[in-house]
Amino acid sequence: MITAIVPAAGLSTRMGGELPKPLLPWGASTVIGTVAATLLAAGIAEVIVVTGHRREAIEAALADHAHAVRCVYNPAYRSGEMLASVQVGLAAATPESAGALLALADQPQMQLSVVQQVLRAFAANSGQALVVPSYAMRRGHPLLLPRWLWAEVLALPAGDTLRSAIQRHAAAIHYVETDTPTVLADLDTPEQYAEAVNGDR
């Protein structure tokens, strides 16, 4: 069993405007709705969205997936640290989960085929590898944290980053080479959002 964790608690300060990134329109849905739909289409049994800023609005945007998506709250969301949201998600995951697929709440371009590649690679490595998709030799998302790494991530102090834990276990990384830059693309600014909506990013 795999748990997907989607940190969606941030303030989206660089995006500006009234709506945080997860609530921006994306096709017939929203950014966060699209991310959740892709994860569910991949057959992931447990999808946890970590909320904070505009908590109620994000939960409402996921109403169509309420039967399959669980929202948990990160009270430290104003710190702006994604690590805190990852830790909240890991702590909420079911004990039976063998790994945590970390997907970004501002990556609606995430492709189902890439998620499936990452899941297959994890299974092929007996659930022990730290699976990271890459494009042009650059690490992207969604990445998959094996269960043995969770305790270390949960113990990271405030101000640290997930990257430090990953770097310590570089030998355990299994890279999934992809042919799409979408594993690198996220939405931080209005310009990036406009480019993505227009299919230029």
Side-chain angles (χ1 to χ4, degrees), residues 109-145:
Q109 306 101 311
M110 178 177 61
Q111 296 183 9
L112 175 60
S113 60
V114 171
V115 178
Q116 292 170 329
Q117 278 183 273
V118 170
L119 295 175
R120 284 196 298 268
F122 186 70
N125 284 274
S126 303
Q128 297 302 304
L130 201 174
V131 183
V132 180
S134 67
Y135 175 77
M137 304 297 289
R138 294 174 62 194
R139 295 176 184 172
H141 287 82
L143 55 85
L144 214 164
L145 306 174

PDB file of all heavy atoms in Angstrom, residues 109-145:
ATOM      1  N   GLN A 109       0.432  19.644 -13.802  1.00  0.00           N
ATOM      2  CA  GLN A 109       0.930  19.029 -15.039  1.00  0.00           C
ATOM      3  C   GLN A 109       1.419  17.602 -14.802  1.00  0.00           C
ATOM      4  O   GLN A 109       1.765  16.905 -15.755  1.00  0.00           O
ATOM      5  CB  GLN A 109       2.095  19.858 -15.614  1.00  0.00           C
ATOM      6  CG  GLN A 109       1.778  21.321 -15.818  1.00  0.00           C
ATOM      7  CD  GLN A 109       2.347  22.172 -14.686  1.00  0.00           C
ATOM      8  OE1 GLN A 109       2.151  21.864 -13.521  1.00  0.00           O
ATOM      9  NE2 GLN A 109       3.042  23.249 -15.034  1.00  0.00           N
ATOM     10  N   MET A 110       1.472  17.192 -13.538  1.00  0.00           N
ATOM     11  CA  MET A 110       1.922  15.828 -13.205  1.00  0.00           C
ATOM     12  C   MET A 110       1.182  14.806 -14.062  1.00  0.00           C
ATOM     13  O   MET A 110      -0.040  14.816 -14.129  1.00  0.00           O
ATOM     14  CB  MET A 110       1.662  15.550 -11.719  1.00  0.00           C
ATOM     15  CG  MET A 110       2.032  14.161 -11.257  1.00  0.00           C
ATOM     16  SD  MET A 110       1.791  13.941  -9.475  1.00  0.00           S
ATOM     17  CE  MET A 110       0.025  14.225  -9.294  1.00  0.00           C
ATOM     18  N   GLN A 111       1.945  13.932 -14.690  1.00  0.00           N
ATOM     19  CA  GLN A 111       1.353  12.983 -15.626  1.00  0.00           C
ATOM     20  C   GLN A 111       1.121  11.624 -14.971  1.00  0.00           C
ATOM     21  O   GLN A 111       1.972  11.126 -14.222  1.00  0.00           O
ATOM     22  CB  GLN A 111       2.253  12.832 -16.855  1.00  0.00           C
ATOM     23  CG  GLN A 111       2.385  14.124 -17.655  1.00  0.00           C
ATOM     24  CD  GLN A 111       3.218  13.941 -18.913  1.00  0.00           C
ATOM     25  OE1 GLN A 111       3.574  12.824 -19.292  1.00  0.00           O
ATOM     26  NE2 GLN A 111       3.521  15.041 -19.567  1.00  0.00           N
ATOM     27  N   LEU A 112      -0.027  11.044 -15.286  1.00  0.00           N
ATOM     28  CA  LEU A 112      -0.368   9.729 -14.758  1.00  0.00           C
ATOM     29  C   LEU A 112       0.714   8.716 -15.082  1.00  0.00           C
ATOM     30  O   LEU A 112       1.088   7.892 -14.238  1.00  0.00           O
ATOM     31  CB  LEU A 112      -1.716   9.285 -15.329  1.00  0.00           C
ATOM     32  CG  LEU A 112      -2.180   7.866 -14.981  1.00  0.00           C
ATOM     33  CD1 LEU A 112      -2.317   7.687 -13.478  1.00  0.00           C
ATOM     34  CD2 LEU A 112      -3.493   7.545 -15.692  1.00  0.00           C
ATOM     35  N   SER A 113       1.256   8.762 -16.296  1.00  0.00           N
ATOM     36  CA  SER A 113       2.268   7.793 -16.709  1.00  0.00           C
ATOM     37  C   SER A 113       3.522   7.885 -15.841  1.00  0.00           C
ATOM     38  O   SER A 113       4.165   6.871 -15.537  1.00  0.00           O
ATOM     39  CB  SER A 113       2.641   8.000 -18.177  1.00  0.00           C
ATOM     40  OG  SER A 113       3.154   9.309 -18.393  1.00  0.00           O
ATOM     41  N   VAL A 114       3.877   9.097 -15.412  1.00  0.00           N
ATOM     42  CA  VAL A 114       5.060   9.267 -14.553  1.00  0.00           C
ATOM     43  C   VAL A 114       4.794   8.685 -13.166  1.00  0.00           C
ATOM     44  O   VAL A 114       5.643   8.001 -12.590  1.00  0.00           O
ATOM     45  CB  VAL A 114       5.451  10.751 -14.461  1.00  0.00           C
ATOM     46  CG1 VAL A 114       6.533  10.961 -13.393  1.00  0.00           C
ATOM     47  CG2 VAL A 114       5.943  11.257 -15.812  1.00  0.00           C
ATOM     48  N   VAL A 115       3.610   8.964 -12.620  1.00  0.00           N
ATOM     49  CA  VAL A 115       3.246   8.383 -11.321  1.00  0.00           C
ATOM     50  C   VAL A 115       3.322   6.863 -11.397  1.00  0.00           C
ATOM     51  O   VAL A 115       3.872   6.205 -10.502  1.00  0.00           O
ATOM     52  CB  VAL A 115       1.837   8.827 -10.892  1.00  0.00           C
ATOM     53  CG1 VAL A 115       1.454   8.177  -9.560  1.00  0.00           C
ATOM     54  CG2 VAL A 115       1.759  10.340 -10.768  1.00  0.00           C
ATOM     55  N   GLN A 116       2.818   6.295 -12.463  1.00  0.00           N
ATOM     56  CA  GLN A 116       2.841   4.849 -12.618  1.00  0.00           C
ATOM     57  C   GLN A 116       4.267   4.320 -12.743  1.00  0.00           C
ATOM     58  O   GLN A 116       4.590   3.260 -12.192  1.00  0.00           O
ATOM     59  CB  GLN A 116       2.014   4.450 -13.846  1.00  0.00           C
ATOM     60  CG  GLN A 116       0.521   4.713 -13.657  1.00  0.00           C
ATOM     61  CD  GLN A 116      -0.274   4.558 -14.939  1.00  0.00           C
ATOM     62  OE1 GLN A 116       0.236   4.805 -16.031  1.00  0.00           O
ATOM     63  NE2 GLN A 116      -1.528   4.149 -14.811  1.00  0.00           N
ATOM     64  N   GLN A 117       5.140   5.054 -13.437  1.00  0.00           N
ATOM     65  CA  GLN A 117       6.542   4.660 -13.539  1.00  0.00           C
ATOM     66  C   GLN A 117       7.200   4.612 -12.168  1.00  0.00           C
ATOM     67  O   GLN A 117       7.957   3.686 -11.854  1.00  0.00           O
ATOM     68  CB  GLN A 117       7.309   5.664 -14.415  1.00  0.00           C
ATOM     69  CG  GLN A 117       7.191   5.466 -15.905  1.00  0.00           C
ATOM     70  CD  GLN A 117       8.053   6.482 -16.646  1.00  0.00           C
ATOM     71  OE1 GLN A 117       7.621   7.596 -16.921  1.00  0.00           O
ATOM     72  NE2 GLN A 117       9.279   6.114 -16.937  1.00  0.00           N
ATOM     73  N   VAL A 118       6.934   5.640 -11.359  1.00  0.00           N
ATOM     74  CA  VAL A 118       7.527   5.707 -10.018  1.00  0.00           C
ATOM     75  C   VAL A 118       7.028   4.540  -9.155  1.00  0.00           C
ATOM     76  O   VAL A 118       7.808   3.886  -8.460  1.00  0.00           O
ATOM     77  CB  VAL A 118       7.189   7.062  -9.359  1.00  0.00           C
ATOM     78  CG1 VAL A 118       7.577   7.063  -7.882  1.00  0.00           C
ATOM     79  CG2 VAL A 118       7.902   8.196 -10.091  1.00  0.00           C
ATOM     80  N   LEU A 119       5.738   4.257  -9.231  1.00  0.00           N
ATOM     81  CA  LEU A 119       5.177   3.150  -8.448  1.00  0.00           C
ATOM     82  C   LEU A 119       5.753   1.807  -8.888  1.00  0.00           C
ATOM     83  O   LEU A 119       6.068   0.950  -8.049  1.00  0.00           O
ATOM     84  CB  LEU A 119       3.651   3.142  -8.584  1.00  0.00           C
ATOM     85  CG  LEU A 119       2.903   4.346  -7.996  1.00  0.00           C
ATOM     86  CD1 LEU A 119       1.420   4.257  -8.311  1.00  0.00           C
ATOM     87  CD2 LEU A 119       3.130   4.450  -6.492  1.00  0.00           C
ATOM     88  N   ARG A 120       5.910   1.622 -10.187  1.00  0.00           N
ATOM     89  CA  ARG A 120       6.475   0.360 -10.685  1.00  0.00           C
ATOM     90  C   ARG A 120       7.923   0.196 -10.232  1.00  0.00           C
ATOM     91  O   ARG A 120       8.348  -0.908  -9.856  1.00  0.00           O
ATOM     92  CB  ARG A 120       6.387   0.304 -12.215  1.00  0.00           C
ATOM     93  CG  ARG A 120       4.992   0.004 -12.748  1.00  0.00           C
ATOM     94  CD  ARG A 120       5.047  -0.430 -14.208  1.00  0.00           C
ATOM     95  NE  ARG A 120       5.582   0.621 -15.065  1.00  0.00           N
ATOM     96  CZ  ARG A 120       4.827   1.524 -15.693  1.00  0.00           C
ATOM     97  NH1 ARG A 120       3.501   1.509 -15.532  1.00  0.00           N
ATOM     98  NH2 ARG A 120       5.373   2.439 -16.470  1.00  0.00           N
ATOM     99  N   ALA A 121       8.677   1.281 -10.266  1.00  0.00           N
ATOM    100  CA  ALA A 121      10.082   1.215  -9.846  1.00  0.00           C
ATOM    101  C   ALA A 121      10.185   0.876  -8.357  1.00  0.00           C
ATOM    102  O   ALA A 121      11.066   0.116  -7.940  1.00  0.00           O
ATOM    103  CB  ALA A 121      10.775   2.541 -10.137  1.00  0.00           C
ATOM    104  N   PHE A 122       9.293   1.427  -7.560  1.00  0.00           N
ATOM    105  CA  PHE A 122       9.285   1.136  -6.127  1.00  0.00           C
ATOM    106  C   PHE A 122       8.997  -0.341  -5.890  1.00  0.00           C
ATOM    107  O   PHE A 122       9.694  -0.999  -5.098  1.00  0.00           O
ATOM    108  CB  PHE A 122       8.228   1.999  -5.452  1.00  0.00           C
ATOM    109  CG  PHE A 122       8.210   1.908  -3.951  1.00  0.00           C
ATOM    110  CD1 PHE A 122       9.242   2.447  -3.199  1.00  0.00           C
ATOM    111  CD2 PHE A 122       7.157   1.298  -3.280  1.00  0.00           C
ATOM    112  CE1 PHE A 122       9.233   2.383  -1.804  1.00  0.00           C
ATOM    113  CE2 PHE A 122       7.128   1.220  -1.898  1.00  0.00           C
ATOM    114  CZ  PHE A 122       8.172   1.763  -1.154  1.00  0.00           C
ATOM    115  N   ALA A 123       8.010  -0.883  -6.587  1.00  0.00           N
ATOM    116  CA  ALA A 123       7.668  -2.298  -6.440  1.00  0.00           C
ATOM    117  C   ALA A 123       8.810  -3.189  -6.922  1.00  0.00           C
ATOM    118  O   ALA A 123       9.123  -4.211  -6.294  1.00  0.00           O
ATOM    119  CB  ALA A 123       6.395  -2.609  -7.215  1.00  0.00           C
ATOM    120  N   ALA A 124       9.467  -2.797  -8.016  1.00  0.00           N
ATOM    121  CA  ALA A 124      10.556  -3.595  -8.568  1.00  0.00           C
ATOM    122  C   ALA A 124      11.761  -3.646  -7.640  1.00  0.00           C
ATOM    123  O   ALA A 124      12.575  -4.573  -7.705  1.00  0.00           O
ATOM    124  CB  ALA A 124      10.980  -3.032  -9.926  1.00  0.00           C
ATOM    125  N   ASN A 125      11.865  -2.643  -6.764  1.00  0.00           N
ATOM    126  CA  ASN A 125      12.968  -2.605  -5.806  1.00  0.00           C
ATOM    127  C   ASN A 125      12.519  -3.045  -4.410  1.00  0.00           C
ATOM    128  O   ASN A 125      13.109  -2.650  -3.402  1.00  0.00           O
ATOM    129  CB  ASN A 125      13.564  -1.198  -5.755  1.00  0.00           C
ATOM    130  CG  ASN A 125      14.432  -0.887  -6.962  1.00  0.00           C
ATOM    131  OD1 ASN A 125      15.612  -1.199  -6.992  1.00  0.00           O
ATOM    132  ND2 ASN A 125      13.829  -0.273  -7.982  1.00  0.00           N
ATOM    133  N   SER A 126      11.465  -3.842  -4.374  1.00  0.00           N
ATOM    134  CA  SER A 126      10.948  -4.443  -3.136  1.00  0.00           C
ATOM    135  C   SER A 126      10.578  -3.412  -2.076  1.00  0.00           C
ATOM    136  O   SER A 126      10.645  -3.683  -0.874  1.00  0.00           O
ATOM    137  CB  SER A 126      11.973  -5.431  -2.561  1.00  0.00           C
ATOM    138  OG  SER A 126      12.280  -6.427  -3.512  1.00  0.00           O
ATOM    139  N   GLY A 127      10.194  -2.208  -2.514  1.00  0.00           N
ATOM    140  CA  GLY A 127       9.757  -1.185  -1.580  1.00  0.00           C
ATOM    141  C   GLY A 127      10.866  -0.619  -0.713  1.00  0.00           C
ATOM    142  O   GLY A 127      10.598  -0.015   0.321  1.00  0.00           O
ATOM    143  N   GLN A 128      12.124  -0.797  -1.136  1.00  0.00           N
ATOM    144  CA  GLN A 128      13.250  -0.331  -0.323  1.00  0.00           C
ATOM    145  C   GLN A 128      13.960   0.880  -0.914  1.00  0.00           C
ATOM    146  O   GLN A 128      14.728   1.550  -0.222  1.00  0.00           O
ATOM    147  CB  GLN A 128      14.265  -1.469  -0.145  1.00  0.00           C
ATOM    148  CG  GLN A 128      13.711  -2.654   0.605  1.00  0.00           C
ATOM    149  CD  GLN A 128      13.201  -2.280   1.983  1.00  0.00           C
ATOM    150  OE1 GLN A 128      13.931  -1.727   2.806  1.00  0.00           O
ATOM    151  NE2 GLN A 128      11.920  -2.544   2.236  1.00  0.00           N
ATOM    152  N   ALA A 129      13.729   1.180  -2.175  1.00  0.00           N
ATOM    153  CA  ALA A 129      14.435   2.278  -2.828  1.00  0.00           C
ATOM    154  C   ALA A 129      13.731   3.611  -2.602  1.00  0.00           C
ATOM    155  O   ALA A 129      12.519   3.673  -2.390  1.00  0.00           O
ATOM    156  CB  ALA A 129      14.562   2.012  -4.326  1.00  0.00           C
ATOM    157  N   LEU A 130      14.507   4.667  -2.639  1.00  0.00           N
ATOM    158  CA  LEU A 130      13.992   6.026  -2.624  1.00  0.00           C
ATOM    159  C   LEU A 130      13.866   6.414  -4.093  1.00  0.00           C
ATOM    160  O   LEU A 130      14.872   6.644  -4.765  1.00  0.00           O
ATOM    161  CB  LEU A 130      14.983   6.931  -1.886  1.00  0.00           C
ATOM    162  CG  LEU A 130      14.527   8.256  -1.311  1.00  0.00           C
ATOM    163  CD1 LEU A 130      15.666   8.877  -0.499  1.00  0.00           C
ATOM    164  CD2 LEU A 130      14.041   9.210  -2.355  1.00  0.00           C
ATOM    165  N   VAL A 131      12.658   6.431  -4.606  1.00  0.00           N
ATOM    166  CA  VAL A 131      12.449   6.574  -6.049  1.00  0.00           C
ATOM    167  C   VAL A 131      12.226   8.040  -6.406  1.00  0.00           C
ATOM    168  O   VAL A 131      11.342   8.699  -5.846  1.00  0.00           O
ATOM    169  CB  VAL A 131      11.264   5.718  -6.528  1.00  0.00           C
ATOM    170  CG1 VAL A 131      11.113   5.832  -8.042  1.00  0.00           C
ATOM    171  CG2 VAL A 131      11.468   4.258  -6.126  1.00  0.00           C
ATOM    172  N   VAL A 132      13.034   8.526  -7.347  1.00  0.00           N
ATOM    173  CA  VAL A 132      12.986   9.934  -7.736  1.00  0.00           C
ATOM    174  C   VAL A 132      12.920  10.040  -9.260  1.00  0.00           C
ATOM    175  O   VAL A 132      13.800   9.531  -9.955  1.00  0.00           O
ATOM    176  CB  VAL A 132      14.232  10.690  -7.229  1.00  0.00           C
ATOM    177  CG1 VAL A 132      14.167  12.162  -7.644  1.00  0.00           C
ATOM    178  CG2 VAL A 132      14.369  10.562  -5.717  1.00  0.00           C
ATOM    179  N   PRO A 133      11.892  10.684  -9.809  1.00  0.00           N
ATOM    180  CA  PRO A 133      11.864  10.898 -11.251  1.00  0.00           C
ATOM    181  C   PRO A 133      12.837  12.009 -11.635  1.00  0.00           C
ATOM    182  O   PRO A 133      13.064  12.943 -10.845  1.00  0.00           O
ATOM    183  CB  PRO A 133      10.411  11.311 -11.520  1.00  0.00           C
ATOM    184  CG  PRO A 133       9.989  11.983 -10.259  1.00  0.00           C
ATOM    185  CD  PRO A 133      10.711  11.257  -9.150  1.00  0.00           C
ATOM    186  N   SER A 134      13.410  11.911 -12.809  1.00  0.00           N
ATOM    187  CA  SER A 134      14.350  12.944 -13.245  1.00  0.00           C
ATOM    188  C   SER A 134      14.122  13.271 -14.714  1.00  0.00           C
ATOM    189  O   SER A 134      13.604  12.457 -15.484  1.00  0.00           O
ATOM    190  CB  SER A 134      15.793  12.484 -13.026  1.00  0.00           C
ATOM    191  OG  SER A 134      16.116  11.397 -13.891  1.00  0.00           O
ATOM    192  N   TYR A 135      14.522  14.472 -15.049  1.00  0.00           N
ATOM    193  CA  TYR A 135      14.478  14.920 -16.448  1.00  0.00           C
ATOM    194  C   TYR A 135      15.740  15.735 -16.693  1.00  0.00           C
ATOM    195  O   TYR A 135      16.045  16.658 -15.936  1.00  0.00           O
ATOM    196  CB  TYR A 135      13.241  15.781 -16.711  1.00  0.00           C
ATOM    197  CG  TYR A 135      13.215  16.371 -18.108  1.00  0.00           C
ATOM    198  CD1 TYR A 135      12.868  15.586 -19.205  1.00  0.00           C
ATOM    199  CD2 TYR A 135      13.553  17.706 -18.331  1.00  0.00           C
ATOM    200  CE1 TYR A 135      12.856  16.112 -20.487  1.00  0.00           C
ATOM    201  CE2 TYR A 135      13.533  18.238 -19.607  1.00  0.00           C
ATOM    202  CZ  TYR A 135      13.186  17.435 -20.679  1.00  0.00           C
ATOM    203  OH  TYR A 135      13.178  17.961 -21.958  1.00  0.00           O
ATOM    204  N   ALA A 136      16.477  15.371 -17.714  1.00  0.00           N
ATOM    205  CA  ALA A 136      17.720  16.069 -18.062  1.00  0.00           C
ATOM    206  C   ALA A 136      18.661  16.162 -16.854  1.00  0.00           C
ATOM    207  O   ALA A 136      19.240  17.215 -16.575  1.00  0.00           O
ATOM    208  CB  ALA A 136      17.422  17.465 -18.628  1.00  0.00           C
ATOM    209  N   MET A 137      18.757  15.065 -16.123  1.00  0.00           N
ATOM    210  CA  MET A 137      19.662  14.946 -14.976  1.00  0.00           C
ATOM    211  C   MET A 137      19.253  15.818 -13.788  1.00  0.00           C
ATOM    212  O   MET A 137      20.059  16.088 -12.900  1.00  0.00           O
ATOM    213  CB  MET A 137      21.108  15.271 -15.382  1.00  0.00           C
ATOM    214  CG  MET A 137      21.646  14.429 -16.520  1.00  0.00           C
ATOM    215  SD  MET A 137      21.720  12.663 -16.100  1.00  0.00           S
ATOM    216  CE  MET A 137      23.066  12.675 -14.923  1.00  0.00           C
ATOM    217  N   ARG A 138      18.012  16.236 -13.741  1.00  0.00           N
ATOM    218  CA  ARG A 138      17.522  17.043 -12.623  1.00  0.00           C
ATOM    219  C   ARG A 138      16.406  16.301 -11.896  1.00  0.00           C
ATOM    220  O   ARG A 138      15.511  15.725 -12.530  1.00  0.00           O
ATOM    221  CB  ARG A 138      17.007  18.407 -13.112  1.00  0.00           C
ATOM    222  CG  ARG A 138      18.077  19.298 -13.682  1.00  0.00           C
ATOM    223  CD  ARG A 138      17.474  20.556 -14.272  1.00  0.00           C
ATOM    224  NE  ARG A 138      16.778  21.345 -13.256  1.00  0.00           N
ATOM    225  CZ  ARG A 138      15.941  22.341 -13.543  1.00  0.00           C
ATOM    226  NH1 ARG A 138      15.678  22.650 -14.811  1.00  0.00           N
ATOM    227  NH2 ARG A 138      15.357  23.019 -12.570  1.00  0.00           N
ATOM    228  N   ARG A 139      16.464  16.299 -10.569  1.00  0.00           N
ATOM    229  CA  ARG A 139      15.461  15.606  -9.771  1.00  0.00           C
ATOM    230  C   ARG A 139      14.127  16.340  -9.815  1.00  0.00           C
ATOM    231  O   ARG A 139      14.078  17.568  -9.806  1.00  0.00           O
ATOM    232  CB  ARG A 139      15.903  15.515  -8.313  1.00  0.00           C
ATOM    233  CG  ARG A 139      17.136  14.680  -8.080  1.00  0.00           C
ATOM    234  CD  ARG A 139      17.515  14.749  -6.605  1.00  0.00           C
ATOM    235  NE  ARG A 139      18.759  14.044  -6.335  1.00  0.00           N
ATOM    236  CZ  ARG A 139      19.387  14.084  -5.177  1.00  0.00           C
ATOM    237  NH1 ARG A 139      18.897  14.806  -4.174  1.00  0.00           N
ATOM    238  NH2 ARG A 139      20.509  13.414  -5.002  1.00  0.00           N
ATOM    239  N   GLY A 140      13.035  15.551  -9.832  1.00  0.00           N
ATOM    240  CA  GLY A 140      11.713  16.154  -9.858  1.00  0.00           C
ATOM    241  C   GLY A 140      10.753  15.480  -8.889  1.00  0.00           C
ATOM    242  O   GLY A 140      11.162  14.817  -7.936  1.00  0.00           O
ATOM    243  N   HIS A 141       9.474  15.660  -9.143  1.00  0.00           N
ATOM    244  CA  HIS A 141       8.391  15.081  -8.336  1.00  0.00           C
ATOM    245  C   HIS A 141       7.375  14.428  -9.275  1.00  0.00           C
ATOM    246  O   HIS A 141       7.284  14.790 -10.435  1.00  0.00           O
ATOM    247  CB  HIS A 141       7.697  16.181  -7.524  1.00  0.00           C
ATOM    248  CG  HIS A 141       8.501  16.693  -6.372  1.00  0.00           C
ATOM    249  ND1 HIS A 141       9.491  17.634  -6.524  1.00  0.00           N
ATOM    250  CD2 HIS A 141       8.464  16.389  -5.039  1.00  0.00           C
ATOM    251  CE1 HIS A 141      10.026  17.905  -5.344  1.00  0.00           C
ATOM    252  NE2 HIS A 141       9.422  17.161  -4.430  1.00  0.00           N
ATOM    253  N   PRO A 142       6.604  13.477  -8.753  1.00  0.00           N
ATOM    254  CA  PRO A 142       6.519  13.017  -7.361  1.00  0.00           C
ATOM    255  C   PRO A 142       7.623  12.012  -7.026  1.00  0.00           C
ATOM    256  O   PRO A 142       7.977  11.183  -7.859  1.00  0.00           O
ATOM    257  CB  PRO A 142       5.150  12.349  -7.305  1.00  0.00           C
ATOM    258  CG  PRO A 142       4.965  11.793  -8.688  1.00  0.00           C
ATOM    259  CD  PRO A 142       5.607  12.799  -9.610  1.00  0.00           C
ATOM    260  N   LEU A 143       8.154  12.111  -5.826  1.00  0.00           N
ATOM    261  CA  LEU A 143       9.160  11.151  -5.381  1.00  0.00           C
ATOM    262  C   LEU A 143       8.551  10.252  -4.304  1.00  0.00           C
ATOM    263  O   LEU A 143       7.559  10.617  -3.671  1.00  0.00           O
ATOM    264  CB  LEU A 143      10.415  11.863  -4.881  1.00  0.00           C
ATOM    265  CG  LEU A 143      10.293  12.918  -3.790  1.00  0.00           C
ATOM    266  CD1 LEU A 143      10.291  12.278  -2.412  1.00  0.00           C
ATOM    267  CD2 LEU A 143      11.439  13.907  -3.893  1.00  0.00           C
ATOM    268  N   LEU A 144       9.145   9.086  -4.124  1.00  0.00           N
ATOM    269  CA  LEU A 144       8.563   8.089  -3.232  1.00  0.00           C
ATOM    270  C   LEU A 144       9.532   7.759  -2.106  1.00  0.00           C
ATOM    271  O   LEU A 144      10.643   7.276  -2.347  1.00  0.00           O
ATOM    272  CB  LEU A 144       8.192   6.832  -4.027  1.00  0.00           C
ATOM    273  CG  LEU A 144       6.947   6.081  -3.546  1.00  0.00           C
ATOM    274  CD1 LEU A 144       6.458   5.101  -4.606  1.00  0.00           C
ATOM    275  CD2 LEU A 144       7.200   5.347  -2.246  1.00  0.00           C
ATOM    276  N   LEU A 145       9.111   8.035  -0.874  1.00  0.00           N
ATOM    277  CA  LEU A 145       9.927   7.780   0.306  1.00  0.00           C
ATOM    278  C   LEU A 145       9.582   6.413   0.890  1.00  0.00           C
ATOM    279  O   LEU A 145       8.441   6.191   1.307  1.00  0.00           O
ATOM    280  CB  LEU A 145       9.672   8.849   1.370  1.00  0.00           C
ATOM    281  CG  LEU A 145       9.841  10.313   0.962  1.00  0.00           C
ATOM    282  CD1 LEU A 145       9.414  11.224   2.108  1.00  0.00           C
ATOM    283  CD2 LEU A 145      11.279  10.596   0.553  1.00  0.00           C
TER     284      LEU A 145
END
